[in-house]
Amino acid sequence: MSQGLLATLFGDPFAVMNTVGLVAFALVGASKAIREEFDLLGIVIVGLAMAFAGGATRDLLVTRVPLALQSPVEISLGLLGVGLAVALSLVLSAPDTHPVTVVADAVGLAAFATTGAIVATGADVSAFGVVAIATINAVGGGAVADILLDRAPFILFEDFYASCAVLGGTAYWVAGELGATGGTAAVACAVVTVGTRLAAVTYDWQLPTAQALGRLDE
C-alpha cells in the first residue's frame, strides 16, 4: 500500500490531480455535514460521496471500473480529507465557510476538472465529451453531497461554479489541439479552473437567472 501511495503522490498528472481532488473535496463535503450536525458516520458518508461520486460517474461514462473500487489508496485519501475536516471543526466555529475550506473547494474543483479532461481525452471522445466529462467529474460529487444534505444542488443556482469547470475543460482541449503535452494541458485546465473560481468568490460573480433577464426588458 505504501508503494501505491508514493506512486499516487509523485506519479503522472492524473495521479497528482486525483490525490489533490480527493483530499480537498472530502474535506469540503465533510465540513458541510459537520455544519448540519450529522453524526460521525454521516460526516464520513457525505465527505466520501463528494470525493468519489464525480469520478465514479466519469469512469462509468468511459466504461471502466471506478477507481474507488480498485485501490485502498483512493479511500485512504478520502478519509484523510474527512479527518482534516473534523480537526478543523475542533478549532474553527464555521469550518465550511472558512477561507481554508473555500480554497480547498476551488482546488478540488480544478483538480477534478483536470482528471476528467485527462480521462476523456484518453477515451478519445469529442471536444464536447472532454468538456462534459471534465465538468461532471468536477461538480458531480458536490451535487450528490447536496442531495444527501437535503437541499437543491449548489451547481443549479446562479453562483459561478460549474462554469469554472467548463472553462477549465475547454482550456485543456484547446491546449491539446495546439500541440501542448498532457502535463501542460493539465496545468492550463487547473489554472483556469481555480483562477476563475477564486475570482468568482472574490468579486461575487454570478450567472443571471431567467427572472433577472426578464427584468432587463422592463
Side-chain angles (χ1 to χ4, degrees), residues 8 12 36 45 48 69-70 83-84 86 94 110 127 137 146 151 165 198 213:
T8 298
D12 58 56
E36 299 296 329
I45 290 173
L48 294 185
L69 303 180
Q70 297 185 42
L84 290 173
V86 173
N137 196 163
D146 283 341
R151 64 190 188 190
L198 291 177
L213 292 176

Side-chain angles (χ1 to χ4, degrees), residues 4-5 18 26 54 60 73 79-80 118 129 144 148 188 190 216:
L5 181 59
N18 192 53
L60 293 175
V73 173
L79 291 175
L80 172 61
I118 292 171
V144 171
L148 291 173
L216 293 178

Side-chain angles (χ1 to χ4, degrees), residues 18-39:
N18 192 53
T19 297
V20 172
L22 288 175
V23 175
F25 265 12
L27 186 157
V28 174
S31 295
K32 293 180 179 180
I34 291 170
R35 180 191 59 202
E36 299 296 329
E37 299 185 1
F38 280 28
D39 63 20

Side-chain angles (χ1 to χ4, degrees), residues 59-83:
D59 288 339
L60 293 175
L61 287 173
V62 298
T63 63
R64 75 179 190 186
V65 177
L67 290 181
L69 303 180
Q70 297 185 42
S71 169
V73 173
E74 301 272 319
I75 298 298
S76 298
L77 292 170
L79 291 175
L80 172 61
V82 172

Side-chain angles (χ1 to χ4, degrees), residues 43-57:
I43 293 168
V44 171
I45 290 173
V46 175
L48 294 185
M50 184 158 182
F52 291 109
T57 305

